[in-house]
Amino acid sequence: MTKGGQEFLTLVRERGYLHQCTDIDGLASEKRIVAYIGYDCTAPSLHVGNLVSVMLLRWLQRCGHKPIVLVGGGTSKVGDPSGKDESRRLLADEDIAKNMAGIKNSFNRFLEFGEGANDAVMVDNSEWLDALQYIPFLQKIGRHFSVNRMLGFESVKTRLEREQPLSFIEFNYMVLQAYDFLELNRRYGCQLQMGGSDQWGNIVTGVELGRRVDDTALYGLTTPLITTSSGAKMGKSARGAVWLNPDMLPAFEYWQFWRNTEDGDVARFLRLFTDLPMDEINRLEKLQGEEINQAKIILATEATAFCHGRQSAEAAAKSARELFASSDKNSSGDLVSESVNSIPRYKIAGEDLARGVSVLDLFVLAKFSSSKAEARRLIRGGGARVNGEVVENEMQIVNRESLDEDGCIRISAGKKRHAQIHV
């Protein structure tokens, strides 16, 4: 049964998704909501920084409403200036198509797609943007936009204040995004656009365009910018973006990202990034001291299950338990378990291993260090292990005798990063 707008908004508030809304009373009165969020095709996968919006669409659908995933086959040719200090690199059509396919895969475990009343649909805005006739478009749509006001939007103002160039094509982005909202309302009855707080100006522009052109009531809702307790931007790790697609990041590394959540963020992230019931989250929120690690493990496993499946998430958790146990005992600790297969693997040539390979090269190969100098610092700090043993000599060489019974060499950087080296 469809839950009305009020129940959806109650959930959105309770779990921490609500930042701003153009007309919260009007949206609450809607019996059925059709809402969209747009994603430009700038990479072959979404990442953790996109996850708040993905989860928001998921909750919208679970409340009985209809989500629209808008992929920007058209707007990706322009580039959104929001939150950017410089122009994006313009992508070729084939790159956009490849990235679009990857983004579609990102949603498969979060939403139910189909033809039903509240089934999600995925729409490409190139369907209407590519067919626009520029001069007639400016006459019909462009006249509703004030350049004075556009210059005042944060995404434009910030770029100009920093004396970074803003191309004319980028300046048109907010016009095209507003037009997307108008088209989605005409085609699908979409009344609500959602997005991050940096999209507020663009969303409001779309709401106003709907009123001016079609005299229709549209709504906008934004989510807060998610940062960690230490102030870091959500979605980045020491190795770069934390991708949602399994072919972009192994399950173990994805699980480990969530397991490393700061203590002060655990309860908030359980609300935002899992669909655990609030009673369970309230229980986990009360855990203190060492017990908070139980909540982190639950967070990591639940979040990983979305992208990688429940079996891979539990295998990653099992691998971590075994590796930590081995590390705590400070023994060679042979790990014989299927779950270890979720740990990142790297290959090395058999002839190289026969001659002997420097441990410095292994740590660079596994991306634990960006250079041999950085690997040396890791070793000197006591944070490097090979097969469970602390590396004390930075000139140490590994060879075929270092292979365990499973034919691999296990290396670790601290207690949280692990890899297997295979011939």
Side-chain angles (χ1 to χ4, degrees):
M1 178 182 294
T2 300
K3 299 178 182 179
Q6 181 62 61
E7 291 186 70
F8 171 65
L9 285 170
T10 298
L11 182 147
V12 164
R13 282 195 187 99
E14 185 177 49
R15 299 190 79 100
Y17 293 106
L18 181 62
H19 180 61
Q20 293 170 294
C21 184
T22 56
D23 180 4
I24 202 160
D25 292 332
L27 185 59
S29 67
E30 295 284 350
K31 294 182 179 179
R32 180 174 181 268
I33 299 171
V34 181
Y36 93 95
I37 299 177
Y39 302 86
D40 277 344
C41 307
T42 54
S45 169
L46 298 182
H47 54 75
V48 166
N50 302 119
L51 198 50
V52 166
S53 64
V54 175
M55 292 297 295
L56 189 57
L57 287 174
R58 177 180 172 82
W59 281 114
L60 180 87
Q61 185 172 49
R62 292 190 68 178
C63 287
H65 305 291
K66 188 176 187 69
I68 297 175
V69 177
L70 182 70
V71 287
T75 44
S76 295
K77 299 171 186 176
V78 176
D80 183 2
S82 300
K84 300 292 180 293
D85 286 341
E86 55 188 33
S87 299
R88 291 186 188 271
R89 178 177 64 87
L90 293 180
L91 299 174
D93 288 350
E94 54 268 27
D95 292 328
I96 291 174
K98 179 182 176 182
N99 291 345
M100 187 182 299
I103 289 172
K104 288 179 179 178
N105 289 335
S106 297
F107 279 97
N108 286 339
R109 293 186 182 273
F110 291 90
L111 299 175
E112 293 291 334
F113 290 88
E115 303 297 327
N118 75 318
D119 285 342
V121 294
M122 188 167 284
V123 182
D124 179 0
N125 63 11
S126 65
E127 290 179 22
W128 51 84
L129 294 183
D130 284 359
L132 287 177
Q133 293 179 293
Y134 189 58
I135 298 300
F137 176 74
L138 290 180
Q139 290 175 327
K140 292 180 181 179
I141 302 299
R143 65 188 181 87
H144 295 289
F145 291 81
S146 162
V147 171
N148 303 56
R149 189 172 184 216
M150 292 166 75
L151 288 171
F153 283 129
E154 196 65 32
S155 59
V156 175
K157 190 165 60 175
T158 300
R159 185 81 69 84
L160 296 178
E161 286 175 351
R162 295 179 181 177
E163 298 184 353
Q164 294 291 337
L166 178 70
S167 70
F168 180 71
I169 192 171
E170 288 178 289
F171 191 61
N172 278 273
Y173 188 94
M174 66 182 72
V175 179
L176 298 179
Q177 182 171 330
Y179 185 68
D180 283 344
F181 199 179
L182 189 66
E183 277 292 324
L184 289 172
N185 177 258
R186 290 170 174 176
R187 295 175 181 227
Y188 297 93
C190 179
Q191 323 106 297
L192 172 63
Q193 180 183 177
M194 302 187 292
S197 57
D198 62 334
Q199 293 293 313
W200 178 250
N202 291 355
I203 291 173
V204 168
T205 301
V207 170
E208 293 177 351
L209 183 65
R211 175 177 55 79
R212 289 172 178 167
V213 175
D214 285 353
D215 194 25
T216 187
L218 302 179
Y219 307 96
L221 183 150
T222 61
T223 57
L225 174 67
I226 306 299
T227 58
T228 65
S229 294
S230 60
K233 187 176 180 180
M234 185 68 181
K236 297 287 185 180
S237 71
R239 300 192 192 186
V242 181
W243 303 106
L244 302 190
N245 287 10
D247 61 340
M248 298 280 287
L249 190 72
F252 182 82
E253 290 190 36
Y254 191 78
W255 188 94
Q256 198 68 44
F257 168 80
W258 293 104
R259 173 62 179 81
N260 293 339
T261 296
E262 297 174 31
D263 290 1
D265 293 325
V266 175
R268 182 164 58 113
F269 286 3
L270 283 166
R271 290 182 174 88
L272 290 171
F273 302 117
T274 78
D275 55 10
L276 290 174
M278 287 302 300
D279 287 347
E280 175 66 4
I281 294 173
N282 291 336
R283 182 188 71 82
L284 294 170
E285 188 175 15
K286 296 174 183 176
L287 298 179
Q288 301 291 327
E290 287 295 318
E291 287 187 337
I292 201 170
N293 289 325
Q294 298 174 24
K296 292 182 181 182
I297 290 170
I298 291 172
L299 168 64
T301 304
E302 293 299 316
T304 303
F306 279 131
C307 297
H308 295 265
R310 179 67 57 181
Q311 184 175 357
S312 294
E314 292 178 354
K318 188 175 183 182
S319 293
R321 286 196 302 271
E322 292 169 337
L323 283 165
F324 285 130
S326 174
S327 177
D328 290 342
K329 292 174 183 176
N330 195 25
S331 65
S332 58
D334 291 337
L335 299 179
V336 184
S337 169
E338 294 180 0
S339 64
V340 177
N341 290 331
S342 64
I343 299 171
R345 294 168 167 239
Y346 299 91
K347 289 186 177 180
I348 191 170
E351 55 268 27
D352 290 341
L353 193 60
R355 289 192 296 267
V357 178
S358 162
V359 292
L360 299 176
D361 288 328
L362 288 188
F363 278 81
V364 173
L365 172 66
K367 301 178 183 177
F368 289 165
S369 305
S370 59
S371 64
K372 289 186 179 181
E374 187 177 333
R376 286 190 183 95
R377 290 193 291 272
L378 178 68
I379 292 170
R380 290 169 186 170
R385 283 186 169 83
V386 173
N387 290 334
E389 297 287 349
V390 175
V391 178
E392 297 179 348
N393 179 6
E394 62 191 53
M395 302 302 292
Q396 181 177 328
I397 300 295
V398 297
N399 51 35
R400 286 191 174 276
E401 294 181 1
S402 305
L403 294 171
D404 64 16
E405 62 185 28
D406 294 322
C408 77
I409 300 170
R410 293 179 291 105
I411 65 174
S412 302
K415 290 187 176 184
K416 297 180 178 180
R417 292 186 290 166
H418 311 280
Q420 300 178 71
I421 309 298
H422 289 257
V423 177

